[in-house]
Amino acid sequence: MAVDEALLESAVSQDICTLRWYRWKEPTISLGYFQSNETEVQNDTWKDLPRVRRLSGGGAILHHYELTYSFAIPACHPLSRSLPDLYLIIHQPLIDALSKQGLNVEFRGTSVTSQTEPFLCFGRGDERDLVYQGKKILGSAQRRRRGSVVQHGSLLLLTSDYAPHFPGLLNQTGKTSLYQDNFLETLTEEFSKAISQTIDLPLQSRNLTDDEFAQATELENEKYSLPAWTSRK
């Protein structure tokens, strides 16, 4: 989470656009920036999992067998000016790349509303979600800072034992054997190329700069690792 904020700051201060893919070492819940750290309605199977709080909004995500992305785009890029369009611009290349793997997903097309928002993001429904046969497999959330934007998203590939009511894409398609490092690397490479072409910016692999690493470390120590940050109401 600290790295993602450091990359957003690079977008703000240096007009750098960055796409980052990552996975999680252990099942973890990331809370949306504006979300309460609720306890009374949480399922006993995951209420004690480690927690972090994201910079972006939306509902909590149970990260387990999935791919997470963050996309930071500077204010000078035209796509930063229309947040709804940015969801579509990023999600469409993911549809195309998954289709090449025989995994045919689509936009939900309609929003799902309820009197109370479910705690977990995958219990919520937005028209720009990606779904397989009506089941949500990818959702995203955003945060704007001085015109620049960071967008987070989570692609649910396998069903987690901690949330069995949210089926993974590979479970639904009968292709669970694909969940291997080489498949995930191929998938992220295809995603990255497709997104690069869509936003018309060249793809260049890089590590964090010294300044980004230092800023991420500072953010981790002074913000993201503090219980007061994660547990605030």
Side-chain angles (χ1 to χ4, degrees):
M1 303 297 96
V3 169
D4 289 341
E5 183 167 357
L7 294 176
L8 175 59
E9 278 300 320
S10 288
V12 170
S13 62
Q14 301 180 53
D15 293 337
I16 295 176
C17 183
T18 307
L19 173 64
R20 177 187 181 219
W21 290 96
Y22 52 99
R23 294 159 65 190
W24 300 69
K25 290 183 179 179
E26 59 183 328
T28 303
I29 288 178
S30 72
L31 299 163
Y33 178 79
F34 300 100
Q35 190 174 26
S36 295
N37 187 18
E38 303 173 10
T39 56
E40 67 276 12
V41 297
Q42 294 174 12
N43 190 302
D44 287 341
T45 59
W46 47 263
K47 68 178 183 179
D48 295 324
L49 293 179
R51 296 189 177 208
V52 294
R53 185 179 295 279
R54 305 188 306 271
L55 189 63
S56 59
I61 297 177
L62 200 164
H63 302 276
H64 199 177
Y65 303 114
E66 44 103 80
L67 285 171
T68 303
Y69 79 84
S70 68
F71 180 68
I73 190 165
C76 62
H77 196 286
L79 287 178
S80 68
R81 298 163 199 165
S82 177
L83 299 189
D85 288 345
L86 187 57
Y87 286 117
L88 303 176
I89 291 295
I90 299 301
H91 287 186
Q92 183 60 56
L94 303 188
I95 292 176
D96 298 338
L98 287 169
S99 178
K100 290 181 180 179
Q101 301 292 332
L103 303 168
N104 298 313
V105 304
E106 60 186 359
F107 287 107
R108 182 187 298 277
T110 57
S111 294
V112 178
T113 58
S114 60
Q115 290 184 341
T116 58
E117 288 280 28
F119 180 73
L120 291 180
C121 169
F122 278 81
R124 306 181 182 190
D126 182 86
E127 62 190 81
R128 293 152 297 203
D129 293 338
L130 298 189
V131 299
Y132 178 81
Q133 295 185 352
K135 300 291 186 180
K136 182 174 180 176
I137 58 96
L138 184 137
S140 297
Q142 298 171 337
R143 185 73 186 278
R144 184 187 288 278
R145 177 175 291 175
R146 285 175 278 173
S148 296
V149 182
V150 63
Q151 179 169 303
H152 279 128
S154 176
L155 174 63
L156 180 60
L157 291 170
L158 288 182
T159 306
S160 171
D161 293 339
Y162 294 98
H165 46 303
F166 299 133
L169 174 61
L170 299 181
N171 296 92
Q172 295 183 73
T173 57
K175 298 182 178 182
T176 55
S177 62
L178 289 178
Y179 193 85
Q180 301 174 22
D181 287 345
N182 59 346
F183 169 73
L184 298 176
E185 289 170 4
T186 298
L187 203 57
T188 54
E189 184 177 342
E190 290 296 322
F191 286 158
S192 300
K193 289 179 179 178
I195 291 172
S196 174
Q197 292 172 357
T198 299
I199 65 174
D200 196 26
L201 286 175
L203 183 67
Q204 180 180 355
S205 178
R206 71 176 181 93
N207 295 320
L208 294 177
T209 66
D210 290 343
D211 287 344
E212 288 169 342
F213 183 83
Q215 185 170 38
T217 301
E218 181 179 353
L219 285 165
E220 178 185 4
N221 293 334
E222 298 184 3
K223 183 177 184 178
Y224 287 101
S225 64
L226 300 182
W229 166 257
T230 303
S231 300
R232 65 183 175 82
K233 297 296 185 179

